[in-house]
Amino acid sequence: TAVPPHRISQAEAAETMHHVFADIFANSETMSGVFASTGIRHRYAARPLDWYLQPMGWPERTEVYVEEGTRLFVEVANKALDAAGVRPDEVDAVVFVSTSGIATPSLDAVVHKQMGFRPDIERVPVFGLGCAGGVTGLAIAARIAEAQPGFTVLMVTVELSTLSFRLDRPDKASLISTALFGDGAAACVLRAGETGLAVIEGAGEHLWPDTLGIMGWSMDPVGFGVILVPDVPSFAATNLRPAVEGILGRIGLSVEDIGRFVCHPGGTKVVAAIERSFSLPQGSLDHERGVLADYGNMSAPTVLFILQRVLEDGLPERATLVSMGPGFTASCVSLARAA
């Protein structure tokens, strides 16, 4: 895992936003406490806080996305490859997941020479998965590795969600996202038939009909605009477990088989809703709350930050990664402890 160099405390972010959008916070009892209720202590951002207070459009945002995204890609990819004992020229395919910026060629091509990848590497850039991207990207990489035994697949996700901050959009969804989102990157190496940290047993997704407006981006000449409904926690509490049960059932497992759910936290209310949904004791998702406190919601990479902590604690016999994202979609990957 990796984060940008600029750390922003939640208190500092709250003070700045209360100054910039003074009228909104003064006139809304709901919004006045939004920064304090997130459970976040600090986050990391691609640029210092003052940078975000300047008017900007696509060119300025994209320049930072490519510059900082490239740096994070190289850092986190090399960390994962070093940990796996794999050289960059041994990587056969790279799955790159990102939804917080647009670049063509995608960043996996931008870093090709710097990383030392082979000319015949297979590139799979994936856009639009949002917070579900860490889990779905892992599933895509696993299927590529399984389909071609001996293939080494590098999965990288980089999200710079702070670049979506908009001075011109003082709506509730934008301000809530300003209280939640940070930047980060994560990577892992997958290969079929070898002993590693864990074995991917199966994966799946569930898309709820008529839910396109729950989460996503709108796009205009200034940049991305946040689409985020406030009742995601209640939606998760009611709908997540049946969806996950269906996914697990299709790969021959049940909720009772899972020793640890590793969940994208979204926010503290979402974490509590997930615990209720799966009838987990309150506080069970401790690493989810810990990563949220230390890094904020980094979108796709967040669940892999949590998995890293779970692995350091000792993976149970079986764990399942769960994320929700635009669609509105739930994505799962089931892991078994390596023998």
Side-chain angles (χ1 to χ4, degrees):
T1 59
V3 292
H6 305 287
R7 188 169 113 158
I8 300 173
S9 73
Q10 190 72 333
E12 182 184 11
E15 181 181 1
T16 302
M17 290 303 101
H18 277 73
H19 175 72
V20 173
F21 300 113
D23 290 346
I24 294 172
F25 287 105
N27 296 318
S28 172
E29 185 176 338
T30 303
M31 293 305 301
S32 63
V34 68
F35 281 85
S37 66
T38 60
I40 297 169
R41 291 193 293 264
H42 39 71
R43 293 171 276 165
Y44 294 83
R47 287 293 183 267
L49 184 56
D50 288 347
W51 182 87
Y52 296 91
L53 306 182
Q54 308 167 45
M56 66 187 79
W58 283 106
E60 295 84 3
R61 299 175 197 276
T62 301
E63 181 181 5
V64 174
Y65 174 75
V66 174
E67 179 185 324
E68 185 61 23
T70 296
R71 191 193 67 76
L72 283 172
F73 188 117
V74 172
E75 178 182 350
V76 79
N78 280 322
K79 281 183 178 180
L81 292 171
D82 289 346
V86 174
R87 300 190 314 271
D89 63 0
E90 294 177 309
V91 176
D92 299 292
V94 57
V95 175
F96 173 59
V97 177
S98 186
T99 305
S100 51
I102 298 174
T104 304
S106 50
L107 298 191
D108 48 293
V110 175
V111 304
H112 183 276
K113 182 177 180 180
Q114 186 178 354
M115 283 296 304
F117 292 143
R118 300 195 315 268
D120 65 343
I121 194 171
E122 295 184 9
R123 299 190 301 114
V124 186
V126 184
F127 176 85
L129 296 174
C131 294
V135 178
T136 304
L138 194 62
I140 292 169
R143 292 184 183 110
I144 293 171
E146 185 179 31
Q148 303 185 75
F151 248 49
T152 297
V153 182
L154 173 66
M155 180 266 186
V156 179
T157 177
V158 176
E159 297 290 12
L160 303 179
S161 298
T162 63
L163 296 180
S164 67
F165 173 70
R166 300 275 295 265
L167 287 169
D168 64 320
R169 286 178 60 110
D171 57 273
K172 183 177 289 188
S174 296
L175 294 178
I176 290 173
S177 70
T178 301
L180 285 173
F181 287 113
D183 299 338
C188 59
V189 178
L190 300 94
R191 185 182 287 160
E194 297 203 11
T195 301
L197 296 171
V199 177
I200 294 180
E201 295 183 299
E205 297 181 39
H206 179 93
L207 192 149
W208 289 278
D210 304 317
T211 56
L212 296 178
I214 288 182
M215 182 184 294
W217 294 131
S218 61
M219 299 186 190
D220 59 41
V222 177
F224 289 129
V226 174
I227 298 171
L228 180 66
V229 299
D231 63 346
V232 171
S234 60
F235 185 93
T238 303
N239 296 286
L240 183 58
R241 179 168 182 148
V244 172
E245 286 178 333
I247 295 168
L248 291 175
R250 290 192 291 275
I251 59 178
L253 298 172
S254 69
V255 169
E256 289 70 28
D257 294 322
I258 310 306
R260 179 43 156 107
F261 285 98
V262 180
C263 302
H264 174 77
T268 51
K269 292 181 180 179
V270 174
V271 177
I274 294 171
E275 287 176 340
R276 293 196 303 273
S277 182
F278 289 105
S279 302
L280 301 173
Q282 186 176 1
S284 296
L285 300 180
D286 52 347
H287 290 311
E288 284 77 356
R289 288 182 171 87
V291 167
L292 190 65
D294 293 340
Y295 300 99
N297 180 345
M298 298 169 284
S299 191
T302 313
V303 73
L304 298 177
F305 276 66
I306 297 163
L307 176 60
Q308 186 177 46
R309 294 189 179 191
V310 171
L311 288 167
E312 289 169 355
D313 269 359
L315 194 71
E317 183 177 346
R318 182 172 284 110
T320 294
L321 278 65
V322 180
S323 288
M324 294 181 292
F328 193 57
T329 301
S331 184
C332 294
V333 166
S334 181
L335 299 178
R337 186 170 57 215

mmCIF file of all heavy atoms in Angstrom, residues 7-49:
data_model
loop_
_atom_site.group_PDB
_atom_site.id
_atom_site.type_symbol
_atom_site.label_atom_id
_atom_site.label_comp_id
_atom_site.label_asym_id
_atom_site.label_seq_id
_atom_site.Cartn_x
_atom_site.Cartn_y
_atom_site.Cartn_z
ATOM 1 N N ARG A 7 -0.463 15.061 4.333
ATOM 2 C CA ARG A 7 -1.415 14.587 5.344
ATOM 3 C C ARG A 7 -2.291 15.753 5.792
ATOM 4 O O ARG A 7 -1.791 16.819 6.147
ATOM 5 C CB ARG A 7 -0.680 14.001 6.535
ATOM 6 C CG ARG A 7 -1.607 13.319 7.533
ATOM 7 C CD ARG A 7 -0.810 12.519 8.539
ATOM 8 N NE ARG A 7 -0.908 13.094 9.866
ATOM 9 C CZ ARG A 7 -0.679 12.424 10.986
ATOM 10 N NH1 ARG A 7 -0.317 11.148 10.935
ATOM 11 N NH2 ARG A 7 -0.769 13.008 12.141
ATOM 12 N N ILE A 8 -3.590 15.526 5.796
ATOM 13 C CA ILE A 8 -4.558 16.541 6.193
ATOM 14 C C ILE A 8 -5.351 16.009 7.373
ATOM 15 O O ILE A 8 -6.000 14.966 7.275
ATOM 16 C CB ILE A 8 -5.504 16.884 5.027
ATOM 17 C CG1 ILE A 8 -4.710 17.431 3.834
ATOM 18 C CG2 ILE A 8 -6.561 17.892 5.471
ATOM 19 C CD1 ILE A 8 -5.556 17.646 2.586
ATOM 20 N N SER A 9 -5.289 16.700 8.498
ATOM 21 C CA SER A 9 -6.070 16.276 9.653
ATOM 22 C C SER A 9 -7.541 16.589 9.418
ATOM 23 O O SER A 9 -7.883 17.532 8.688
ATOM 24 C CB SER A 9 -5.584 16.972 10.925
ATOM 25 O OG SER A 9 -5.984 18.330 10.932
ATOM 26 N N GLN A 10 -8.413 15.803 10.029
ATOM 27 C CA GLN A 10 -9.841 16.053 9.856
ATOM 28 C C GLN A 10 -10.229 17.407 10.453
ATOM 29 O O GLN A 10 -11.101 18.102 9.916
ATOM 30 C CB GLN A 10 -10.653 14.920 10.508
ATOM 31 C CG GLN A 10 -12.128 14.945 10.182
ATOM 32 C CD GLN A 10 -12.431 14.545 8.737
ATOM 33 O OE1 GLN A 10 -11.612 14.713 7.846
ATOM 34 N NE2 GLN A 10 -13.616 14.012 8.511
ATOM 35 N N ALA A 11 -9.585 17.792 11.533
ATOM 36 C CA ALA A 11 -9.874 19.093 12.134
ATOM 37 C C ALA A 11 -9.510 20.226 11.178
ATOM 38 O O ALA A 11 -10.252 21.217 11.040
ATOM 39 C CB ALA A 11 -9.109 19.236 13.450
ATOM 40 N N GLU A 12 -8.377 20.092 10.509
ATOM 41 C CA GLU A 12 -7.937 21.104 9.546
ATOM 42 C C GLU A 12 -8.891 21.172 8.357
ATOM 43 O O GLU A 12 -9.262 22.259 7.896
ATOM 44 C CB GLU A 12 -6.517 20.768 9.073
ATOM 45 C CG GLU A 12 -5.906 21.758 8.111
ATOM 46 C CD GLU A 12 -4.551 21.319 7.606
ATOM 47 O OE1 GLU A 12 -4.157 20.147 7.840
ATOM 48 O OE2 GLU A 12 -3.885 22.142 6.956
ATOM 49 N N ALA A 13 -9.310 20.003 7.856
ATOM 50 C CA ALA A 13 -10.253 19.965 6.738
ATOM 51 C C ALA A 13 -11.587 20.596 7.134
ATOM 52 O O ALA A 13 -12.176 21.374 6.368
ATOM 53 C CB ALA A 13 -10.462 18.535 6.275
ATOM 54 N N ALA A 14 -12.056 20.267 8.329
ATOM 55 C CA ALA A 14 -13.335 20.806 8.797
ATOM 56 C C ALA A 14 -13.277 22.322 8.927
ATOM 57 O O ALA A 14 -14.193 23.039 8.495
ATOM 58 C CB ALA A 14 -13.710 20.171 10.130
ATOM 59 N N GLU A 15 -12.203 22.823 9.515
ATOM 60 C CA GLU A 15 -12.065 24.272 9.690
ATOM 61 C C GLU A 15 -12.067 24.981 8.335
ATOM 62 O O GLU A 15 -12.725 26.019 8.159
ATOM 63 C CB GLU A 15 -10.776 24.584 10.450
ATOM 64 C CG GLU A 15 -10.558 26.066 10.700
ATOM 65 C CD GLU A 15 -9.254 26.344 11.436
ATOM 66 O OE1 GLU A 15 -8.515 25.379 11.736
ATOM 67 O OE2 GLU A 15 -8.965 27.520 11.710
ATOM 68 N N THR A 16 -11.351 24.429 7.380
ATOM 69 C CA THR A 16 -11.272 25.041 6.055
ATOM 70 C C THR A 16 -12.623 25.031 5.352
ATOM 71 O O THR A 16 -13.060 26.037 4.785
ATOM 72 C CB THR A 16 -10.232 24.307 5.184
ATOM 73 O OG1 THR A 16 -8.962 24.344 5.842
ATOM 74 C CG2 THR A 16 -10.113 24.937 3.817
ATOM 75 N N MET A 17 -13.323 23.906 5.387
ATOM 76 C CA MET A 17 -14.608 23.815 4.710
ATOM 77 C C MET A 17 -15.665 24.682 5.383
ATOM 78 O O MET A 17 -16.516 25.279 4.710
ATOM 79 C CB MET A 17 -15.081 22.355 4.661
ATOM 80 C CG MET A 17 -14.258 21.464 3.734
ATOM 81 S SD MET A 17 -14.212 22.057 2.017
ATOM 82 C CE MET A 17 -12.589 22.827 1.966
ATOM 83 N N HIS A 18 -15.621 24.778 6.718
ATOM 84 C CA HIS A 18 -16.565 25.653 7.408
ATOM 85 C C HIS A 18 -16.331 27.116 7.032
ATOM 86 O O HIS A 18 -17.258 27.930 7.053
ATOM 87 C CB HIS A 18 -16.449 25.470 8.926
ATOM 88 C CG HIS A 18 -17.232 24.314 9.448
ATOM 89 N ND1 HIS A 18 -16.862 23.005 9.245
ATOM 90 C CD2 HIS A 18 -18.386 24.258 10.152
ATOM 91 C CE1 HIS A 18 -17.736 22.195 9.818
ATOM 92 N NE2 HIS A 18 -18.684 22.938 10.380
ATOM 93 N N HIS A 19 -15.101 27.448 6.706
ATOM 94 C CA HIS A 19 -14.802 28.811 6.266
ATOM 95 C C HIS A 19 -15.245 29.028 4.813
ATOM 96 O O HIS A 19 -15.881 30.045 4.497
ATOM 97 C CB HIS A 19 -13.303 29.081 6.395
ATOM 98 C CG HIS A 19 -12.876 30.411 5.858
ATOM 99 N ND1 HIS A 19 -13.174 31.605 6.485
ATOM 100 C CD2 HIS A 19 -12.182 30.744 4.726
ATOM 101 C CE1 HIS A 19 -12.687 32.604 5.775
ATOM 102 N NE2 HIS A 19 -12.078 32.120 4.711
ATOM 103 N N VAL A 20 -14.926 28.067 3.938
ATOM 104 C CA VAL A 20 -15.244 28.219 2.519
ATOM 105 C C VAL A 20 -16.751 28.194 2.279
ATOM 106 O O VAL A 20 -17.287 28.965 1.472
ATOM 107 C CB VAL A 20 -14.548 27.101 1.699
ATOM 108 C CG1 VAL A 20 -15.003 27.130 0.244
ATOM 109 C CG2 VAL A 20 -13.035 27.256 1.773
ATOM 110 N N PHE A 21 -17.460 27.304 2.983
ATOM 111 C CA PHE A 21 -18.906 27.157 2.803
ATOM 112 C C PHE A 21 -19.637 27.551 4.080
ATOM 113 O O PHE A 21 -20.489 26.810 4.588
ATOM 114 C CB PHE A 21 -19.241 25.715 2.409
ATOM 115 C CG PHE A 21 -18.593 25.268 1.126
ATOM 116 C CD1 PHE A 21 -17.623 24.286 1.132
ATOM 117 C CD2 PHE A 21 -18.961 25.832 -0.079
ATOM 118 C CE1 PHE A 21 -17.028 23.860 -0.053
ATOM 119 C CE2 PHE A 21 -18.380 25.419 -1.271
ATOM 120 C CZ PHE A 21 -17.410 24.432 -1.263
ATOM 121 N N ALA A 22 -19.312 28.707 4.598
ATOM 122 C CA ALA A 22 -19.809 29.147 5.905
ATOM 123 C C ALA A 22 -21.336 29.156 5.967
ATOM 124 O O ALA A 22 -21.927 28.711 6.966
ATOM 125 C CB ALA A 22 -19.257 30.536 6.226
ATOM 126 N N ASP A 23 -21.989 29.653 4.933
ATOM 127 C CA ASP A 23 -23.449 29.772 4.959
ATOM 128 C C ASP A 23 -24.120 28.408 5.074
ATOM 129 O O ASP A 23 -25.090 28.246 5.821
ATOM 130 C CB ASP A 23 -23.939 30.484 3.700
ATOM 131 C CG ASP A 23 -23.569 31.957 3.681
ATOM 132 O OD1 ASP A 23 -23.185 32.474 4.746
ATOM 133 O OD2 ASP A 23 -23.642 32.578 2.606
ATOM 134 N N ILE A 24 -23.610 27.443 4.335
ATOM 135 C CA ILE A 24 -24.231 26.109 4.339
ATOM 136 C C ILE A 24 -24.118 25.475 5.720
ATOM 137 O O ILE A 24 -25.096 24.970 6.279
ATOM 138 C CB ILE A 24 -23.563 25.202 3.286
ATOM 139 C CG1 ILE A 24 -23.847 25.748 1.896
ATOM 140 C CG2 ILE A 24 -24.059 23.761 3.409
ATOM 141 C CD1 ILE A 24 -23.092 25.045 0.811
ATOM 142 N N PHE A 25 -22.929 25.492 6.295
ATOM 143 C CA PHE A 25 -22.739 24.864 7.599
ATOM 144 C C PHE A 25 -23.485 25.618 8.701
ATOM 145 O O PHE A 25 -23.983 25.008 9.653
ATOM 146 C CB PHE A 25 -21.251 24.766 7.922
ATOM 147 C CG PHE A 25 -20.532 23.723 7.122
ATOM 148 C CD1 PHE A 25 -19.699 24.067 6.076
ATOM 149 C CD2 PHE A 25 -20.701 22.376 7.412
ATOM 150 C CE1 PHE A 25 -19.038 23.102 5.335
ATOM 151 C CE2 PHE A 25 -20.052 21.397 6.678
ATOM 152 C CZ PHE A 25 -19.220 21.757 5.637
ATOM 153 N N ALA A 26 -23.590 26.934 8.565
ATOM 154 C CA ALA A 26 -24.292 27.723 9.576
ATOM 155 C C ALA A 26 -25.795 27.470 9.551
ATOM 156 O O ALA A 26 -26.458 27.530 10.588
ATOM 157 C CB ALA A 26 -24.012 29.207 9.358
ATOM 158 N N ASN A 27 -26.326 27.156 8.369
ATOM 159 C CA ASN A 27 -27.775 27.029 8.220
ATOM 160 C C ASN A 27 -28.272 25.587 8.170
ATOM 161 O O ASN A 27 -29.454 25.353 7.952
ATOM 162 C CB ASN A 27 -28.221 27.757 6.948
ATOM 163 C CG ASN A 27 -27.959 29.246 7.019
ATOM 164 O OD1 ASN A 27 -28.189 29.861 8.056
ATOM 165 N ND2 ASN A 27 -27.469 29.831 5.926
ATOM 166 N N SER A 28 -27.377 24.635 8.340
ATOM 167 C CA SER A 28 -27.782 23.220 8.280
ATOM 168 C C SER A 28 -27.281 22.477 9.503
ATOM 169 O O SER A 28 -26.074 22.273 9.666
ATOM 170 C CB SER A 28 -27.247 22.555 7.010
ATOM 171 O OG SER A 28 -27.483 21.166 7.030
ATOM 172 N N GLU A 29 -28.195 22.093 10.359
ATOM 173 C CA GLU A 29 -27.816 21.333 11.552
ATOM 174 C C GLU A 29 -27.229 19.977 11.172
ATOM 175 O O GLU A 29 -26.297 19.487 11.808
ATOM 176 C CB GLU A 29 -29.044 21.144 12.444
ATOM 177 C CG GLU A 29 -28.746 20.481 13.777
ATOM 178 C CD GLU A 29 -29.961 20.398 14.663
ATOM 179 O OE1 GLU A 29 -30.914 21.182 14.458
ATOM 180 O OE2 GLU A 29 -29.961 19.544 15.561
ATOM 181 N N THR A 30 -27.736 19.380 10.100
ATOM 182 C CA THR A 30 -27.236 18.081 9.644
ATOM 183 C C THR A 30 -25.787 18.177 9.185
ATOM 184 O O THR A 30 -24.953 17.335 9.524
ATOM 185 C CB THR A 30 -28.100 17.557 8.483
ATOM 186 O OG1 THR A 30 -29.448 17.467 8.903
ATOM 187 C CG2 THR A 30 -27.615 16.188 8.029
ATOM 188 N N MET A 31 -25.481 19.229 8.418
ATOM 189 C CA MET A 31 -24.146 19.353 7.852
ATOM 190 C C MET A 31 -23.110 19.826 8.868
ATOM 191 O O MET A 31 -21.921 19.549 8.721
ATOM 192 C CB MET A 31 -24.167 20.322 6.664
ATOM 193 C CG MET A 31 -24.955 19.826 5.461
ATOM 194 S SD MET A 31 -24.395 18.209 4.877
ATOM 195 C CE MET A 31 -22.685 18.566 4.494
ATOM 196 N N SER A 32 -23.539 20.548 9.894
ATOM 197 C CA SER A 32 -22.590 21.169 10.819
ATOM 198 C C SER A 32 -21.684 20.161 11.508
ATOM 199 O O SER A 32 -20.538 20.455 11.834
ATOM 200 C CB SER A 32 -23.332 22.006 11.863
ATOM 201 O OG SER A 32 -24.178 21.184 12.648
ATOM 202 N N GLY A 33 -22.179 18.943 11.713
ATOM 203 C CA GLY A 33 -21.370 17.948 12.417
ATOM 204 C C GLY A 33 -20.825 16.843 11.541
ATOM 205 O O GLY A 33 -20.323 15.837 12.054
ATOM 206 N N VAL A 34 -20.893 17.016 10.214
ATOM 207 C CA VAL A 34 -20.560 15.910 9.318
ATOM 208 C C VAL A 34 -19.087 15.507 9.424
ATOM 209 O O VAL A 34 -18.756 14.315 9.370
ATOM 210 C CB VAL A 34 -20.943 16.247 7.863
ATOM 211 C CG1 VAL A 34 -20.075 17.359 7.306
ATOM 212 C CG2 VAL A 34 -20.861 15.014 6.981
ATOM 213 N N PHE A 35 -18.169 16.455 9.594
ATOM 214 C CA PHE A 35 -16.752 16.112 9.684
ATOM 215 C C PHE A 35 -16.440 15.360 10.974
ATOM 216 O O PHE A 35 -15.623 14.437 10.995
ATOM 217 C CB PHE A 35 -15.886 17.369 9.572
ATOM 218 C CG PHE A 35 -15.701 17.855 8.167
ATOM 219 C CD1 PHE A 35 -16.656 18.681 7.576
ATOM 220 C CD2 PHE A 35 -14.597 17.481 7.416
ATOM 221 C CE1 PHE A 35 -16.505 19.123 6.271
ATOM 222 C CE2 PHE A 35 -14.431 17.917 6.111
ATOM 223 C CZ PHE A 35 -15.400 18.745 5.533
ATOM 224 N N ALA A 36 -17.100 15.741 12.064
ATOM 225 C CA ALA A 36 -16.835 15.108 13.359
ATOM 226 C C ALA A 36 -17.408 13.696 13.447
ATOM 227 O O ALA A 36 -16.945 12.887 14.263
ATOM 228 C CB ALA A 36 -17.407 15.969 14.482
ATOM 229 N N SER A 37 -18.394 13.386 12.601
ATOM 230 C CA SER A 37 -19.085 12.095 12.723
ATOM 231 C C SER A 37 -18.493 10.997 11.846
ATOM 232 O O SER A 37 -18.989 9.869 11.855
ATOM 233 C CB SER A 37 -20.565 12.277 12.359
ATOM 234 O OG SER A 37 -20.709 12.625 10.987
ATOM 235 N N THR A 38 -17.436 11.291 11.094
ATOM 236 C CA THR A 38 -16.913 10.316 10.129
ATOM 237 C C THR A 38 -16.024 9.247 10.761
ATOM 238 O O THR A 38 -15.795 8.197 10.158
ATOM 239 C CB THR A 38 -16.088 11.023 9.043
ATOM 240 O OG1 THR A 38 -14.992 11.702 9.679
ATOM 241 C CG2 THR A 38 -16.938 12.016 8.267
ATOM 242 N N GLY A 39 -15.462 9.518 11.936
ATOM 243 C CA GLY A 39 -14.498 8.598 12.524
ATOM 244 C C GLY A 39 -13.107 8.729 11.942
ATOM 245 O O GLY A 39 -12.222 7.917 12.222
ATOM 246 N N ILE A 40 -12.879 9.761 11.124
ATOM 247 C CA ILE A 40 -11.589 9.969 10.459
ATOM 248 C C ILE A 40 -10.745 10.946 11.274
ATOM 249 O O ILE A 40 -11.227 11.998 11.695
ATOM 250 C CB ILE A 40 -11.803 10.518 9.031
ATOM 251 C CG1 ILE A 40 -12.561 9.490 8.180
ATOM 252 C CG2 ILE A 40 -10.471 10.875 8.367
ATOM 253 C CD1 ILE A 40 -13.054 10.044 6.851
ATOM 254 N N ARG A 41 -9.486 10.576 11.501
ATOM 255 C CA ARG A 41 -8.547 11.474 12.194
ATOM 256 C C ARG A 41 -7.735 12.287 11.193
ATOM 257 O O ARG A 41 -7.503 13.472 11.390
ATOM 258 C CB ARG A 41 -7.600 10.669 13.090
ATOM 259 C CG ARG A 41 -8.271 10.038 14.297
ATOM 260 C CD ARG A 41 -7.232 9.533 15.287
ATOM 261 N NE ARG A 41 -6.479 8.410 14.725
ATOM 262 C CZ ARG A 41 -6.765 7.131 14.958
ATOM 263 N NH1 ARG A 41 -7.793 6.815 15.731
ATOM 264 N NH2 ARG A 41 -6.037 6.157 14.442
ATOM 265 N N HIS A 42 -7.293 11.628 10.133
ATOM 266 C CA HIS A 42 -6.534 12.331 9.098
ATOM 267 C C HIS A 42 -6.575 11.523 7.804
ATOM 268 O O HIS A 42 -6.935 10.341 7.801
ATOM 269 C CB HIS A 42 -5.074 12.571 9.517
ATOM 270 C CG HIS A 42 -4.446 11.433 10.259
ATOM 271 N ND1 HIS A 42 -4.109 10.253 9.669
ATOM 272 C CD2 HIS A 42 -4.112 11.310 11.570
ATOM 273 C CE1 HIS A 42 -3.578 9.441 10.560
ATOM 274 N NE2 HIS A 42 -3.581 10.040 11.720
ATOM 275 N N ARG A 43 -6.196 12.192 6.722
ATOM 276 C CA ARG A 43 -6.194 11.584 5.386
ATOM 277 C C ARG A 43 -4.958 12.067 4.641
ATOM 278 O O ARG A 43 -4.270 12.982 5.092
ATOM 279 C CB ARG A 43 -7.447 12.011 4.606
ATOM 280 C CG ARG A 43 -8.725 11.473 5.161
ATOM 281 C CD ARG A 43 -9.921 12.115 4.483
ATOM 282 N NE ARG A 43 -10.284 13.385 5.071
ATOM 283 C CZ ARG A 43 -11.082 14.266 4.493
ATOM 284 N NH1 ARG A 43 -11.559 14.028 3.286
ATOM 285 N NH2 ARG A 43 -11.407 15.397 5.094
ATOM 286 N N TYR A 44 -4.724 11.470 3.491
ATOM 287 C CA TYR A 44 -3.591 11.874 2.654
ATOM 288 C C TYR A 44 -4.121 12.344 1.302
ATOM 289 O O TYR A 44 -5.090 11.788 0.778
ATOM 290 C CB TYR A 44 -2.612 10.717 2.488
ATOM 291 C CG TYR A 44 -1.952 10.340 3.793
ATOM 292 C CD1 TYR A 44 -2.598 9.502 4.693
ATOM 293 C CD2 TYR A 44 -0.707 10.846 4.141
ATOM 294 C CE1 TYR A 44 -2.012 9.170 5.911
ATOM 295 C CE2 TYR A 44 -0.105 10.515 5.351
ATOM 296 C CZ TYR A 44 -0.767 9.683 6.229
ATOM 297 O OH TYR A 44 -0.186 9.366 7.432
ATOM 298 N N ALA A 45 -3.465 13.363 0.764
ATOM 299 C CA ALA A 45 -3.955 13.979 -0.467
ATOM 300 C C ALA A 45 -2.821 14.202 -1.454
ATOM 301 O O ALA A 45 -1.655 14.349 -1.067
ATOM 302 C CB ALA A 45 -4.645 15.310 -0.156
ATOM 303 N N ALA A 46 -3.189 14.260 -2.724
ATOM 304 C CA ALA A 46 -2.206 14.429 -3.797
ATOM 305 C C ALA A 46 -1.540 15.795 -3.748
ATOM 306 O O ALA A 46 -0.421 15.962 -4.246
ATOM 307 C CB ALA A 46 -2.881 14.226 -5.156
ATOM 308 N N ARG A 47 -2.207 16.768 -3.155
ATOM 309 C CA ARG A 47 -1.678 18.124 -3.070
ATOM 310 C C ARG A 47 -1.988 18.710 -1.684
ATOM 311 O O ARG A 47 -2.907 18.240 -1.001
ATOM 312 C CB ARG A 47 -2.289 19.003 -4.159
ATOM 313 C CG ARG A 47 -1.778 18.707 -5.567
ATOM 314 C CD ARG A 47 -0.314 19.072 -5.708
ATOM 315 N NE ARG A 47 0.226 18.871 -7.055
ATOM 316 C CZ ARG A 47 0.836 17.751 -7.457
ATOM 317 N NH1 ARG A 47 0.962 16.738 -6.611
ATOM 318 N NH2 ARG A 47 1.328 17.665 -8.679
ATOM 319 N N PRO A 48 -1.266 19.758 -1.264
ATOM 320 C CA PRO A 48 -1.585 20.412 0.012
ATOM 321 C C PRO A 48 -3.000 20.988 -0.009
ATOM 322 O O PRO A 48 -3.557 21.273 -1.077
ATOM 323 C CB PRO A 48 -0.530 21.531 0.107
ATOM 324 C CG PRO A 48 0.549 21.135 -0.834
ATOM 325 C CD PRO A 48 -0.104 20.353 -1.934
ATOM 326 N N LEU A 49 -3.562 21.186 1.161
ATOM 327 C CA LEU A 49 -4.950 21.615 1.271
ATOM 328 C C LEU A 49 -5.224 22.907 0.510
ATOM 329 O O LEU A 49 -6.259 23.036 -0.166
ATOM 330 C CB LEU A 49 -5.315 21.785 2.753
ATOM 331 C CG LEU A 49 -6.760 22.151 3.074
ATOM 332 C CD1 LEU A 49 -7.728 21.142 2.481
ATOM 333 C CD2 LEU A 49 -6.951 22.250 4.584
#
